[in-house]
C-alpha cells in the first residue's frame, strides 16, 4: 500500500521488522504530497502522474467540480477500471485452467 | 467511464448515438454525488462503496488529512492496485499465449 506522511508499520508504538521504504515528494493537481511506500520512487511518480492526468481529464469535462469532488470522482473512475480488470483476470484464469486440464 | 452531473457524450454540442445511461445518487464520505454511467446502478453502488470504505481506511491511519488529500490518496492507492493488476494480466496473457503455441 502506498501511504502518505505516516509510517503504517509504526502505529501504536509497536515496532515491527519492515521492508525498506521510499519517500517520494510529488505534486498532484497543484498540492504537494510525500508518498511513503515499498515501491520505487519511479513507480510512485508513474502512479501519481496518472492520478494527476486523470484529475485534469475529469476537470476538463466537469469544470464546476471542487477539488475534493474531483479527487473522489477520480478514485471512483479508477476503482471502476480496477474492478473491470479484476473481472478480466478471472476470465483469463479460467481460460488458463481449461488449457491445463 | 463513470462520470458525474454531466453527459460526456454531449460535449461540444455534438450529439451522437449513446448507450442507455443510469443516474445513481450515492453518498461517498458524507457528500452526495450523482453518478452517470453505462454501468448498472448496483455496479455503481458497489464501486462507490469500495471508494467510501477505502477513504475511511486511509482516514483511520492518517487522521490529520483533509478530505481532498484523503480522496487524492485514495485515488493514488487505487491506481497503484490497478497498475499491479495490469502487470498481472500481462503475465497471464503471455502464459496463455505460451499454452497456445
Amino acid at each position: 500500500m502506498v501511504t502518505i506522511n505516516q509510517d503504517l508499520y509504526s502505529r501504536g508504538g509497536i515496532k515491527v521488522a519492515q521492508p525498506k521504504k521510499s519517500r517520494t515528494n510529488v505534486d498532484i493537481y497543484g498540492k504537494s504530497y510525500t508518498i511513503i511506500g515499498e515501491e520505487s520512487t519511479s513507480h510512485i511518480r508513474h502512479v501519481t502522474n496518472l492520478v494527476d492526468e486523470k484529475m485534469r481529464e475529469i476537470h476538463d469535462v466537469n469544470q464546476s467540480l471542487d477539488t475534493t469532488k474531483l479527487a473522489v470522482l477520480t478514485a471512483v473512475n479508477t476503482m471502476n477500471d480496477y474492478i473491470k480488470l479484476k473481472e478480466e483476470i478471472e476470465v483469463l484464469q479460467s481460460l488458463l485452467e481449461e488449457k491445463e486440464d
Side-chain angles (χ1 to χ4, degrees), chain A residues 1-3 19-24 35-47:
Chain A
M1 186 186 182
V2 175
T3 184
K20 197 162 158 40
K21 300 212 166 181
S22 63
R23 277 181 166 265
T24 310
I35 307 283
I36 301 170
E38 288 156 36
E39 292 83 359
S40 67
T41 287
S42 68
H43 175 85
I44 289 173
R45 285 197 195 285
H46 176 56
V47 170

Side-chain angles (χ1 to χ4, degrees), chain A residues 1-19 21-23 35-39:
Chain A
M1 186 186 182
V2 175
T3 184
I4 183 172
N5 283 337
Q6 186 170 342
D7 189 337
L8 282 177
Y9 283 77
S10 60
R11 277 179 78 198
I14 300 164
K15 289 277 175 200
V16 293
Q18 53 187 273
K21 300 212 166 181
S22 63
R23 277 181 166 265
I35 307 283
I36 301 170
E38 288 156 36
E39 292 83 359

Side-chain angles (χ1 to χ4, degrees), chain A residues 53-80:
Chain A
E53 273 170 29
K54 203 151 192 160
M55 286 182 75
R56 289 176 201 282
E57 258 174 53
I58 296 174
H59 169 76
D60 282 349
V61 286
N62 297 274
Q63 297 193 2
S64 61
L65 291 175
D66 64 40
T67 311
T68 302
K69 288 203 162 192
L70 196 57
V72 167
L73 193 58
T74 301
V76 168
N77 274 273
T78 309
M79 186 67 83
N80 190 42

